[in-house]
Amino acid sequence: MTTPPETERRDVVETVHGEEVRDPYRWLEGDDEAVHEWVDRQNDHTDRHLDGDAREDLAPRMEARAEVADYGVVVARERGYFQRVEAPDEDRARLLFRPRLDAEPDVLADPNEWADEESLDWFAPSPDGSLVAYGVAEGGDEQYDVTVLDVSSGEVRDVLPDRGRTGPDGLAWTDEGFYYVATGSAADGEQLDKELRYHELGTDADDPVLTDEVGEHVWPQLETEDGRLVVAFHQGWTTSTVHRWEGSPTDGELVDVVADADASFRPLVRDGVVYLRTDYEAPNARILACDVDAVEVDPDDLREVVPEREAILTDAVLAGDSLVVHDQRDAHSSLSVYDLDGGGRREVDLPGYAAIGRGALRGRPDAPEAFFRAQWFDRAPRVSRLDAETGETEVVSERETTDEEIDLAVDQRFFESADGTEIPAFVVHREGLDRDGDNPTVLYGYGGFRVSLTPSYDRFRTPFFEDGGVYVQANLRGGAEYGEDWHRAGMYENKQNVFDDFHAVAEGLIEADYTSPDRLAAMGGSNGGLLVGAAITQRPDLFGAAVCAVPLLDMLRFHEFLLGASWTTEYGDPDDPEAFAYLREYSPYHNVEERAYPSVLFKTAEGDSRVHPGHARKMTARMQHATTGDDPILLRTETETGHGAGKPTSMVVRENLDRWTFLYDQLGVQR
C-alpha cells in the first residue's frame, strides 16, 4: 500500500442551529493553485494503485467493446427522420437526417471534426423538419451555444452563444423562430437565474425577454402548437403550474391554465387541447386534459383521458391522433396506444425485462408513428418504429451481435428493508454461475429525484460477467418505480429509508449466498454517490469496496454551490433547523470517524456544473486522515469533462478502466 498525499487541515468551526460543525477541509472547495496541486498529487496516487496487471488485462477487452455502433432514438418530422449515430471508429455521435427511413443519411453535424472538447449533446427539429437546433457544450460543462441549421442546404442559419443550461425541454418552435429558456453561466454561479426568451430567425439583435420571474427551484418546460406557447413551471419534482402565453411572441403575458395544485403536470398540446401527465390525486400518474384557452382550471374539473392504473405511467407522446403511453411495472417497461379520448387501447409487445429510458420515446405529431429505444441487461439497445394504428413494431437500428456476447441470467428478487418494505433488485450474472457465497458482486443504486433504475445494457460490464462477477441493480425508495408515494418515501426526512433499503439488499445478497462482505462493492453516482457515501459511513462492515462518482457528500453545504439550491426541494434546506437536523444525521462527510473503512474510489470532474467537485475532494481527505485500515481511499479527478454529458467514447473507456481495475483489485476478481 502506498501512503496517500498529506492534506493540510485548516481549522474551520461554525455554530449552525446551535451545533458546532467542524470543516477542516473547506479550503478544498476552492479553485486556487494549492487545490490544483493537491488534485494532481491525488491523481498520481490513484495512478500508482490502478496501474498494474488488472488494468493491463482489461484494457484490450474494454477497447474492443468500444468499437461498436451506438444508435440514438429516431425523431420523426414531416420532412424526414433525425438520429444521432456513433460509428464503431468514431469518438462522438454524428447528427444524421434521412428523408425516408430506408434512405442513405445526410450528415448534419459531425462533432468528430470539431475541437476536441466540444460535444453535441441535444437537438430539437422544427415541427416540419426543415430546421434543427442543437446544443454545443465544451468540456462537458452543459453550458450551451445553440446552432440553428437549415436541413436541406446544411447551412447554419443562426448561432446563439452562451445560452447556459438550455435544452430541448426548454425550446419550442414557431414558424418564425422559437421560444427558449436561457440561464446565467455556471462559471459566474448564476445558472439558477433563468429567462424565458424569444428568438426570431435571422436576427442578430438581443432576444427579447418575456419573463425572468423564474425561481431558482423552478425549471420551465415549453410546448408549442401552431405557434401557441404553453409553459409548465416545475418546482422540484413534485409541483408544477401550467400557463399559456397570451399575445405576440415578443409582447404578451402568461395566463394561468392550471396553477393551484400540489402535484406535477407535464403538458402535451394537440388540436387546441392540453394533455397533462400528472400525479394529481393519482400517485401512479394518469393523463388529464383541458382546452388550451382555459383559464385557472380547478384540477378537479380536468377531463380524465387515461386513468390511473397499477402500473406507473412514466411518459406519454403524441403520434398523429394517438397517445403512446409508457408504463413501468416492477421497474421494467410496457407500451400501449390510446385514442385521444382515451379509448381504443392497444398493447405493444416488449419482450423480457425491457426498459425505455428517459427521452427514449418520441412521437411524430403529424402521423401515427413513434420511435423508441429499448434496452435489456442481456442484449444491446435497439431502436424500433411503432405503428400507432396497429400497435406493430419494427427494428430500425440495431447493433450487430458479436462473438464476444455471453449468455446472462437475469432475475428480479425482492429483499425486506428495515421497516418491512419489499425492495426489488435485478440480479445479473453468467448463466450457470455457482452461488457459493464468494462471488465478486457489485451493488448499484440511486434512490432519488423520481429516477427509476430500469434494465440497462453496458458493454463494459461484460468482462466482469465473463470472469464470474454478479451485478445487482437495486430499486430503492426515492425513485419512481412504484409512483409518487415511493418517491416521497425516500425524500426529505425519509431519506434514511433509501440507505436502509440499500443495506437490506446487501444483507440479502450475503444471506442468499451470492457473495460475502469482502467481495461486495457499492457503486453509485451523483445522488447515488450520496447513497454510497452513506453506505460506507453507516455500514462499512457490509462492503469490501465502493465506487462513489460525482457525489454529494457534504449535505450541510450542498445548497451553496452550482445547482445545489434547486435540490432543496428533494433533500430539504440546511438553512431550516428541522431539515438541518436530519441532514446532519446522515451527511456522509460529517459522519466520518476514526475506524477502518473499505477501499473507496471517489470520482469527480473539474468541469462538473451540477455537483461541485469539492464534495469528493473533502470526503477523500477526511477519510484518508481518519481510516485506521490498510484499504486505499483514492480520488480520480477528470479534466475536460463534467457531470457526464458529452463524453467521447475514448474518455468513457478510460473511466471504465479506472472503475473496473479498482473493483477487480479490491474484490479479487480472477481473470
Side-chain angles (χ1 to χ4, degrees):
M1 174 181 175
T2 61
T3 303
E6 288 290 330
T7 304
E8 180 185 357
R9 293 169 60 86
R10 301 179 186 177
D11 202 25
V12 175
V13 183
E14 293 178 328
T15 301
V16 185
H17 303 306
E19 180 174 340
E20 190 176 87
V21 179
R22 295 185 174 275
D23 190 358
Y25 302 107
R26 184 170 295 182
W27 67 275
L28 290 173
E29 296 173 355
D31 192 36
D32 56 24
E33 188 62 31
V35 172
H36 290 293
E37 291 176 355
W38 180 88
V39 167
D40 289 342
R41 291 195 298 273
Q42 291 288 341
N43 272 341
D44 289 343
H45 176 61
T46 298
D47 284 340
R48 288 193 291 273
H49 273 273
L50 299 185
D51 287 345
D53 292 343
R55 191 182 190 92
E56 185 175 344
D57 176 76
L58 284 171
R61 300 167 74 184
M62 294 286 186
E63 289 163 359
R65 284 168 174 82
E67 295 175 355
V68 295
D70 193 30
Y71 299 97
V73 68
V74 172
V75 179
R77 292 293 186 265
E78 178 185 346
R79 297 196 182 188
Y81 302 88
F82 299 81
Q83 187 179 26
R84 292 176 67 202
V85 177
E86 183 179 326
D89 58 347
E90 293 175 340
D91 219 15
R92 298 185 186 274
R94 300 178 296 168
L95 177 58
L96 307 181
F97 173 77
R98 293 176 174 87
R100 304 180 316 280
L101 278 176
D102 59 356
E104 285 298 312
D106 295 323
V107 178
L108 297 180
D110 185 357
N112 299 287
E113 298 179 352
W114 300 350
D116 287 345
E117 295 182 27
E118 290 183 328
S119 61
L120 191 162
D121 291 357
W122 56 264
F123 67 93
S126 63
D128 67 355
S130 62
L131 301 170
V132 63
Y134 58 82
V136 179
E138 185 172 349
D141 62 5
E142 298 179 275
Q143 307 292 296
Y144 293 105
D145 300 338
V146 179
T147 296
V148 181
L149 203 69
D150 184 290
V151 173
S152 294
S153 67
E155 295 179 359
V156 173
R157 288 282 300 272
D158 291 324
V159 176
L160 286 64
D162 302 325
R163 288 322 189 251
R165 189 174 287 277
T166 190
D169 280 350
L171 189 150
W173 288 88
T174 69
D175 289 340
E176 292 79 27
F178 51 83
Y179 299 94
Y180 69 99
V181 177
T183 76
S185 74
D188 297 333
E190 297 175 347
Q191 60 181 336
L192 294 179
D193 297 337
K194 311 174 194 79
E195 297 174 338
L196 177 58
R197 299 183 184 181
Y198 181 76
H199 176 72
E200 183 179 343
L201 294 169
T203 59
D204 295 327
D206 290 340
D207 294 334
V209 176
L210 280 61
T211 182
D212 59 3
E213 296 181 5
V214 183
E216 65 178 8
H217 299 158
V218 172
W219 290 96
Q221 174 196 352
L222 309 184
E223 298 285 335
T224 52
E225 184 192 40
D226 296 331
R228 300 195 69 184
L229 174 67
V230 173
V231 182
F233 290 127
H234 302 295
Q235 181 162 322
W237 287 259
T238 58
T239 305
S240 307
T241 58
V242 182
H243 313 269
R244 178 182 68 255
W245 181 254
E246 198 71 57
S248 73
T250 59
D251 184 18
E253 62 178 348
L254 288 170
V255 176
D256 293 349
V257 178
V258 180
D260 189 21
D262 183 17
S264 172
F265 295 90
R266 296 198 68 89
L268 295 168
V269 188
R270 177 62 191 268
D271 293 337
V273 176
V274 182
Y275 296 89
L276 300 164
R277 175 166 55 91
T278 179
D279 55 20
Y280 178 71
E281 296 188 351
N284 290 359
R286 55 181 174 160
I287 296 177
L288 305 177
C290 69
D291 191 88
V292 73
D293 291 321
V295 178
E296 297 183 358
V297 179
D298 186 317
D300 290 331
D301 294 333
L302 292 166
R303 172 171 57 89
E304 186 172 77
V305 179
V306 177
E308 181 186 27
R309 298 186 291 125
E310 184 178 346
I312 310 304
L313 201 164
T314 301
D315 196 6
V317 298
L318 290 159
D321 293 328
S322 299
L323 279 166
V324 181
V325 173
H326 172 208
D327 291 321
Q328 286 180 357
R329 187 186 300 270
D330 290 332
H332 55 278
S333 295
S334 62
L335 286 176
S336 51
V337 183
Y338 295 81
D339 300 334
L340 293 181
D341 62 3
R345 179 180 168 191
R346 298 172 295 285
E347 296 293 333
V348 178
D349 183 41
L350 288 179
Y353 291 122
I356 299 170
R358 239 182 221 186
L361 171 65
R362 304 297 295 268
R364 177 174 170 178
D366 65 312
E369 65 177 348
F371 292 83
F372 61 93
R373 184 177 188 267
Q375 56 183 317
W376 299 257
F377 284 114
D378 56 350
R379 69 183 81 169
R382 61 179 61 163
V383 179
S384 298
R385 176 187 179 274
L386 166 65
D387 185 322
E389 292 182 334
T390 66
E392 296 180 354
T393 64
E394 60 175 323
V395 177
V396 297
S397 299
E398 183 177 22
R399 184 182 303 164
E400 291 185 8
T401 302
T402 70
D403 294 336
E404 297 173 343
E405 299 294 331
I406 61 172
D407 291 331
L408 295 178
V410 181
D411 188 24
Q412 188 174 46
R413 297 178 60 92
F414 288 79
F415 301 87
E416 186 175 324
S417 192
D419 63 357
T421 302
E422 291 291 308
I423 307 301
F426 292 102
V427 181
V428 189
H429 54 75
R430 189 183 64 209
E431 281 280 9
L433 184 73
D434 290 334
R435 196 191 302 178
D436 60 4
D438 200 35
N439 297 304
T441 301
V442 173
L443 173 58
Y444 181 82
Y446 189 81
F449 294 94
R450 275 188 172 175
V451 173
S452 297
L453 287 191
T454 56
S456 62
Y457 180 82
D458 184 350
R459 59 193 185 270
F460 299 112
R461 285 198 293 254
T462 304
F464 183 60
F465 290 135
E466 291 173 339
D467 296 333
V470 179
Y471 176 80
V472 182
Q473 186 165 287
N475 298 112
L476 314 172
R477 282 174 285 186
E481 288 88 346
Y482 294 98
E484 181 56 18
D485 289 345
W486 191 258
H487 171 225
R488 290 177 185 264
M491 62 187 293
Y492 291 143
E493 71 277 8
N494 298 322
K495 190 67 178 178
Q496 183 60 41
N497 284 337
V498 182
F499 312 139
D500 290 344
D501 295 350
F502 196 66
H503 303 156
V505 176
E507 291 171 333
L509 293 169
I510 295 166
E511 291 168 4
D513 287 332
Y514 281 103
T515 191
S516 62
D518 287 345
R519 306 206 77 189
L520 175 62
M523 186 161 69
S526 195
N527 171 74
L530 166 61
L531 168 70
V532 171
I536 58 179
T537 51
Q538 294 184 11
R539 293 295 308 274
D541 57 302
L542 275 179
F543 303 97
V547 176
C548 185
V550 290
L552 289 89
L553 296 165
D554 182 342
M555 296 307 291
L556 305 186
R557 285 177 58 77
F558 76 91
H559 63 317
E560 301 282 349
F561 305 102
L562 302 174
L563 296 184
S566 67
W567 303 329
T568 58
T569 57
E570 178 82 7
Y571 298 124
D573 189 341
D575 293 336
D576 172 61
E578 291 185 9
F580 173 87
Y582 62 72
L583 288 164
R584 172 64 181 84
E585 190 70 21
Y586 71 74
S587 177
Y589 178 65
H590 299 93
N591 282 281
V592 175
E593 58 187 35
E594 189 172 313
R595 59 151 300 145
Y597 284 101
S599 54
V600 186
L601 173 62
F602 292 103
K603 293 177 66 65
T604 188
E606 287 184 356
D608 196 330
S609 60
R610 298 193 186 199
V611 180
H612 195 280
H615 286 273
R617 296 171 188 162
K618 291 165 58 175
M619 188 72 169
T620 299
R622 196 163 219 169
M623 289 193 71
Q624 286 176 343
H625 177 80
T627 188
T628 60
D630 293 331
D631 292 318
I633 309 297
L634 307 176
L635 173 67
R636 168 70 78 208
T637 300
E638 297 287 350
T639 60
E640 300 179 1
T641 190
H643 197 67
K647 290 181 181 178
T649 298
S650 56
M651 182 177 291
V652 173
V653 172
R654 187 171 70 245
E655 290 186 355
N656 271 284
L657 264 175
D658 278 352
R659 180 180 300 117
W660 289 106
T661 296
F662 171 79
L663 290 170
Y664 267 57
D665 284 341
Q666 302 306 317
L667 300 182
V669 181
Q670 298 299 309
R671 305 182 299 281

